[in-house]
C-alpha cells in the first residue's frame, strides 16, 4: 500500500513543499527513509517508530520505505517526523485518507507528543501560496503560524490527538488569524544623555533616516559606543512586510517569543570582535543565517572595527552591496537577505589619540597606517557616512541643559522614512540607501547649483563611482529631512562633508 502526506521544508529563508511517500510491502521488516535526508532526518526513524507505538498504534512489521520528495533537495531538520508518521499510519490503514489540501509539520517525541520546530512562519506562508487550506503545526508554534491570514492553522499536541481529529472523532479548532498592533518599546537609554556631539548626532540622524551605513571615528572616551548604543531608540517603525521578513529569519533560527512572535522592532545586533566569518555572514555545517541576516531591516553594529579579523570584515563587502548573502553547498545554494544599516566605530590608531587636539599620539606612522589598513578601501567606500567624534567640550559636559531626546529625533526620522515609503511603494527597496543604480538619476533630482557642486567635488577629490552615488543618496535623505522635493546645494554640501574623513586618515 502506498500513501503520501504533504509537508514543508526550508531552504534559506524560503520554504518548499515536501511529500512524505510511504510504501509498505511484504518482505523482511525494515524501515528506510530516502530522498536526501541529513543525519537529523535519519534519526526520525527512531522517533517515528516509538511515537507511533506509544500513541496506541501499531508499527507495521513489514518492509517500509518512506521517500521525501523532491529527492534532489537536501532535507534538514526534524519537522518531517509528523508527515512520515502519518504516511505510515495511512498506508497501514490505521487512519483514513484525507484530502491533499492539508499539510503537516512537527517533530515527534518518543511518547508521541508533537514538539515545536523552527521555521514555521516561512512554511505557513509558502503553504498558503501553494493553495493548501489547512496546515497542522506544533501547538507551541501556533502564534507564529497565525501571523499568516488565509489558511487554517491547527495546533497539534500529540499524534493521537491529531489521529482522532483526522478520524472525525474529536475536533482540533484552528487558531484565529491575528491582527497585530504596533507597540513602541521603551529603551533604557536616550540620546538626551549624550552631551554635546551635535555633529555626530546629526550624522546619525541622517544615517538612520535614509538607512545609510555610518562610521564613527574618534579618540577613546569620546562617546562613540555611547552614541551607537542609542541608535535603536530612534529607528523608525517597521512596515508589516518588513516585520514578516525579519520574523522569518528569527523563525528559522528558532528565536521567537511564543506569545508575541512578530518582530515589530528593528533588530540591533552588536557581535563581538572575535566573531567568525560564518558567524557574521552565515554558514556552518548546518547552514544558518549570520549576524548580518539577523540584523535584516535593522542595524549591525561593529564596535572597534579594526579589532575584527580582516577576512571577517571583508566578508561583509558582498552582502553589504548585494543586500543578500548566498551560501553555496555541494547540493544546494542558500540565500539569506541582508538589508542592514551597518554602524561601525573605531579609534584612529592603536593608542587612540591620533588627531587629538591636545594629547600626543604615541604611535609610529607605520603603526597608524597598519591599524587603519585593517579597514580596506573597498570597505570604506561602502560606508556612506564617515564622521569624526571629537572629545566632548568641557562646557558641554558641565552644562545642565538637557539635550534633544530620542523621541524628538525619532519623529523627524520617521517623517523622512514615510516620504521614502511613499516614493518607493512599488519598488524592491524602501529607503534611500538602497536606491538601485538604475533609479538614482530619476529619484535624486538636483538643482543646477547642486549639480555643479557635485561635479566640482568629483573632479577635485577623485571620488569613486560608488562614492558619487552615495553622495547623491545621502543628499536625497537630507532633502527628505527638510521635506524638499529637489536636492539643493545646501543638501549636497552637507553630504560631501560626510565623505571627507577617509582622505584625512586613509591618505
Ligand atoms: N558626550 C558625552 N556625554 C555624556 N557622557 C559621555 C559622553 N561621551 C562619553 N561619555 C561618558 O564616557 C563613557 C565612555 O564613552 P564611550 O564608551 O562611548 O567612548 P568611546 O568613544 O566608545 O571610547 P573607546 O574608543 O575607548 O571605545 C560613557 O559611558 C559615558 O559615561
Ligand atoms: Mg567604544
Amino acid at each position: 500500500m502506498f500513501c503520501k502526506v504533504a509537508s514543508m521544508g526550508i531552504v534559506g529563508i524560503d520554504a518548499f513543499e515536501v511529500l512524505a511517500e510511504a510504501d509498505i510491502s511484504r518482505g523482511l521488516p525494515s524501515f528506510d527513509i530516502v530522498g536526501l535526508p541529513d543525519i537529523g532526518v535519519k534519526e526520525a526513524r527512531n522517533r517515528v517508530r516509538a511515537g507511533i507505538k506509544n500513541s496506541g498504534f501499531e508499527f507495521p512489521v513489514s518492509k517500509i520505505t518512506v521517500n521525501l520528495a523532491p529527492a534532489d533537495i537536501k532535507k534538514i531538520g526534524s519537522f518531517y517526523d509528523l508527515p512520515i508518521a502519518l504516511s505510515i499510519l495511512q498506508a497501514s490503514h490505521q487512519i483514513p485518507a484525507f484530502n491533499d489540501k492539508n499539510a503537516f509539520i512537527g517533530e515527534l517525541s518518543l511518547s508521541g507528543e508533537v514538539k515545536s520546530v523552527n521555521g514555521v512562519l516561512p512554511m505557513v506562508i509558502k503553504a498558503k501560496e501553494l493553495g493548501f487550506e489547512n496546515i497542522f503545526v506544533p501547538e507551541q508554534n501556533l502564534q507564529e503560524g497565525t501571523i499568516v491570514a488565509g489558511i487554517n492553522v491547527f495546533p497539534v499536541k500529540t499524534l493521537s490527538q491529531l489521529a482522532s481529529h483526522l478520524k472525525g472523532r474529536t475536533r482540533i479548532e484552528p487558531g484565529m488569524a491575528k491582527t497585530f498592533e504596533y507597540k513602541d518599546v521603551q529603551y533604557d537609554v536616550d540620546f538626551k544623555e549624550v552631551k554635546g556631539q551635535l555633529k555626530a548626532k546629526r550624522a546619525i540622524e541622517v544615517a538612520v533616516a535614509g538607512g545609510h551605513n555610518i562610521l564613527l571615528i574618534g579618540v577613546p572616551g569620546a562617546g562613540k559606543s555611547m552614541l551607537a548604543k542609542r541608535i535603536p531608540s530612534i529607528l523608525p517603525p517597521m512596515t508589516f512586510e518588513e516585520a514578516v521578513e525579519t520574523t522569518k529569519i528569527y523563525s528559522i533560527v528558532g528565536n521567537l517569543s511564543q506569545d508575541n512572535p512578530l518582530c515589530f522592532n528593528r533588530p540591533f545586533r552588536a557581535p563581538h570582535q572575535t566573531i567568525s566569518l560564518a558567524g557574521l555572514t552565515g554558514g556552518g555545517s548546518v547552514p544558518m543565517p549570520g549576524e548580518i541576516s539577523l540584523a535584516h531591516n535593522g542595524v549591525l553594529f561593529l564596535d572597534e572595527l579594526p579589532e575584527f579579523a580582516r577576512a571577517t570584515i571583508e566578508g561583509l563587502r558582498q552582502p553589504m552591496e548585494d543586500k543578500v548573502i548566498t551560501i553555496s553547498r555541494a547540493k544546494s545554494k542558500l540565500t539569506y537577505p541582508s538589508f542592514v544599516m551597518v554602524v561601525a566605530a573605531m579609534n584612529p590608531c592603536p593608542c587612540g589619540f591620533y588627531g587629538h587636539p591636545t594629547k600626543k599620539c604615541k604611535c609610529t606612522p607605520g603603526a597608524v597606517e597598519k591599524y587603519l589598513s585593517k579597514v580596506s578601501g573597498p570597505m570604506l567606500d561602502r560606508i556612506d557616512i564617515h564622521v569624526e567624534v571629537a572629545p566632548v567640550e568641557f562646557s558641554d559636559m558641565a552644562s545642565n541643559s538637557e539635550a534633544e531626546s530620542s523621541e524628538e529625533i525619532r519623529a523627524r526620522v520617521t517623517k523622512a522614512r514615510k516620504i521614502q515609503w511613499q516614493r518607493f511603494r512599488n519598488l524592491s527597496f524602501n529607503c534611500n540607501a538602497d536606491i538601485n543604480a538604475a533609479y538614482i538619476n530619476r529619484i535624486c533630482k538636483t538643482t543646477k547649483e547642486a549639480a555643479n557642486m557635485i561635479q566640482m567635488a568629483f573632479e577635485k577629490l577623485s571620488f569613486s563611482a560608488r562614492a558619487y552615488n552615495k553622495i547623491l543618496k545621502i543628499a536625497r535623505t537630507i532633502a527628505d529631512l527638510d521635506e524638499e522635493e529637489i536636492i539643493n546645494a545646501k543638501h549636497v554640501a552637507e553630504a560631501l562633508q560626510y565623505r571627507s574623513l577617509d582622505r584625512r586618515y586613509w591618505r
Side-chain angles (χ1 to χ4, degrees), residues 352-369:
F353 292 102
Y354 180 70
H356 193 282
T358 51
K359 277 195 184 156
K360 205 165 155 34
C361 167
K362 295 192 197 89
C363 310
T364 61
V368 175
E369 198 172 307

Side-chain angles (χ1 to χ4, degrees), residues 210-249:
H212 303 283
N213 302 326
I214 181 168
L215 171 70
L216 306 169
I217 182 166
V219 298
K224 302 179 292 299
S225 305
M226 190 182 184
L227 285 161
K229 283 177 191 154
R230 279 155 182 76
I231 289 180
S233 66
I234 60 163
L235 291 174
M238 286 213 257
T239 61
F240 183 74
E241 289 73 25
E242 283 178 318
V244 171
E245 276 282 302
T246 302
T247 308
K248 270 163 99 178
I249 296 172

Side-chain angles (χ1 to χ4, degrees), residues 24 41 47 73 106 179 195 201 274 401 452 464 468 476:
I24 301 186
V41 179
R47 292 190 298 266
I73 305 179
T179 45
K195 310 231 170 181
K201 283 188 191 171
T274 50
S401 64
N452 289 342
S464 70
Y468 171 79
R476 176 69 271 162

Side-chain angles (χ1 to χ4, degrees), residues 286-297:
V286 175
M288 274 289 155
E291 287 292 331
I292 191 163
S293 298
L294 291 169
H296 180 53
N297 288 323

Side-chain angles (χ1 to χ4, degrees), residues 165-202:
H165 171 87
L166 294 171
K167 286 177 185 166
R169 289 192 190 148
T170 53
R171 193 172 151 70
I172 302 175
E173 288 302 324
M176 295 286 283
K178 278 248 174 72
T179 45
F180 282 91
E181 260 175 59
Y182 179 78
K183 275 200 211 92
D184 268 335
V185 249
Q186 292 298 318
Y187 292 94
D188 46 12
V189 289
D190 195 294
F191 267 100
K192 70 179 175 211
E193 293 142 16
V194 184
K195 310 231 170 181
Q197 301 300 17
L198 294 183
K199 212 179 117 208
K201 283 188 191 171
R202 166 70 183 177

